[in-house]
Amino acid sequence: MRNKKILISIAMCCSLLIAGCCNEKESLDIRKIKTEDIVSTASGVYDYAETFPSIPELAKNSEVVIYGEIEGIDYIVGDNGLCRANMEVKILEPLKGDYDTGDKIKVVKDQGIVSVKDYLKSFTSEEAKKANREDFKDYSDEELSQVYVQQIEENDIMSEIGQKSVFFLEKSAFYDTEQTYTRLTGPEAEYTGISDDRFIQTQTVGSELSQPYRLEAFEKNQSREYEIDIYTLEEIISEMGVTK
């Protein structure tokens, strides 16, 4: 992914190099996974070569901008435990780029949920498998397929089927083989729908967002010390300042 320089930190014992080969695929509906079954969560902090904090800057530097709904998610765990999510997104309204309403595109995100069994199996050396098995020593081999590892970029949200967002996209590192796009600069380049025709920049309150995405959840949070910018789709389009 072009602008990504390095994964600075991740609270999990695993390789931090982006795997060139992703060898396992999991079709999971995370809505069916109980919170207590996620036994390890890693939060990755990424450093981007550039940032584009405003909507006009995001629009100018993106290859494709869409308002879309997530219809499917495949989680992939590559060598040495690094996860990503390949999402199928139906375009509800094209905002920039050569796409039409109803088209479907693939968007990849640096996040995932995978069973501990498949996570451990992904490590390429027996030494690494044994070392990481120690992190889950409280679970039997039979239980490892029923508990999960979650990875997510800091200030991001776990994407879910049915979620609607405005995505500012560029071609991913996997575009030549998978035709996937990626967000220009992670959660900075996504505006998540929190109610009908209300959107908020994902990284602003990523840690607060959870299904269902409802405006009331933000209004009830009295401890927040900053105001949140909430946009309609029309306002986002106006801010973009580009011809669709």
Side-chain angles (χ1 to χ4, degrees), residues 140-195:
S140 68
D141 289 343
E142 291 73 22
E143 292 173 319
L144 294 181
S145 61
Q146 301 169 15
V147 291
Y148 298 87
V149 170
Q150 174 180 293
Q151 295 176 13
I152 187 169
E153 185 172 352
E154 187 175 73
N155 296 323
D156 205 355
I157 59 171
M158 291 300 298
S159 293
E160 298 189 18
I161 294 171
Q163 174 192 321
K164 298 177 182 179
S165 292
V166 175
F167 296 98
F168 296 84
L169 303 171
E170 65 177 354
K171 291 184 176 71
S172 78
F174 310 103
Y175 187 83
D176 288 344
T177 56
E178 299 179 1
Q179 287 73 56
T180 52
Y181 289 89
T182 186
R183 296 172 302 175
L184 186 64
T185 47
E188 177 186 64
E190 179 179 352
Y191 281 69
T192 299
I194 57 174
S195 66

Side-chain angles (χ1 to χ4, degrees), residues 38 60 70 73 84 93 100 110 157 166 173 185 225:
I38 299 175
K60 179 181 178 180
I70 298 171
I73 304 175
R84 61 186 172 97
E93 187 166 349
D100 296 317
D110 292 301
I157 59 171
V166 175
T185 47
E225 297 179 354

Side-chain angles (χ1 to χ4, degrees), residues 20-39:
C21 175
C22 293
N23 52 21
E24 293 291 338
K25 223 176 200 185
E26 285 290 313
S27 294
L28 297 175
D29 185 346
I30 64 174
R31 294 170 294 186
K32 297 180 180 179
I33 297 175
K34 298 178 181 178
T35 302
E36 58 266 28
D37 292 334
I38 299 175
V39 297

Side-chain angles (χ1 to χ4, degrees), residues 62-236:
S62 297
E63 297 175 58
V64 171
V65 185
I66 64 164
Y67 168 43
E69 179 178 356
I70 298 171
E71 291 196 334
I73 304 175
D74 283 326
Y75 294 117
I76 299 171
V77 56
D79 292 342
N80 300 309
L82 196 62
C83 296
R84 61 186 172 97
N86 275 12
M87 309 185 303
E88 183 176 76
V89 181
K90 180 180 179 179
I91 298 176
L92 302 176
E93 187 166 349
L95 306 181
K96 180 182 179 181
D98 191 21
Y99 288 97
D100 296 317
T101 299
D103 287 348
K104 296 181 181 182
I105 65 172
K106 296 178 182 179
V107 178
V108 61
K109 292 180 74 170
D110 292 301
Q111 62 177 229
I113 294 179
V114 63
S115 71
V116 174
K117 178 180 178 180
D118 288 332
Y119 169 73
L120 295 174
K121 189 169 64 175
S122 75
F123 286 87
T124 54
S125 74
E126 289 302 318
E127 183 180 1
K129 289 179 182 179
K130 289 179 181 179
N132 284 279
R133 180 65 177 89
E134 278 296 301
D135 292 338
F136 306 96
K137 60 185 178 182
D138 294 337
Y139 301 92
S140 68
D141 289 343
E142 291 73 22
E143 292 173 319
L144 294 181
S145 61
Q146 301 169 15
V147 291
Y148 298 87
V149 170
Q150 174 180 293
Q151 295 176 13
I152 187 169
E153 185 172 352
E154 187 175 73
N155 296 323
D156 205 355
I157 59 171
M158 291 300 298
S159 293
E160 298 189 18
I161 294 171
Q163 174 192 321
K164 298 177 182 179
S165 292
V166 175
F167 296 98
F168 296 84
L169 303 171
E170 65 177 354
K171 291 184 176 71
S172 78
F174 310 103
Y175 187 83
D176 288 344
T177 56
E178 299 179 1
Q179 287 73 56
T180 52
Y181 289 89
T182 186
R183 296 172 302 175
L184 186 64
T185 47
E188 177 186 64
E190 179 179 352
Y191 281 69
T192 299
I194 57 174
S195 66
D196 291 341
D197 200 32
R198 294 291 186 273
F199 300 85
I200 191 164
Q201 189 177 43
T202 303
Q203 77 166 11
T204 305
V205 288
S207 61
E208 297 181 45
L209 286 173
S210 60
Q211 286 279 26
Y213 306 117
R214 299 198 182 279
L215 191 57
E216 297 92 308
F218 300 99
E219 294 173 340
K220 289 179 181 178
N221 188 342
Q222 302 298 320
S223 62
R224 192 183 296 110
E225 297 179 354
Y226 55 91
E227 293 185 0
I228 299 172
D229 291 325
I230 298 173
Y231 298 84
T232 65
L233 183 60
E234 183 178 345
E235 288 170 339
I236 290 176

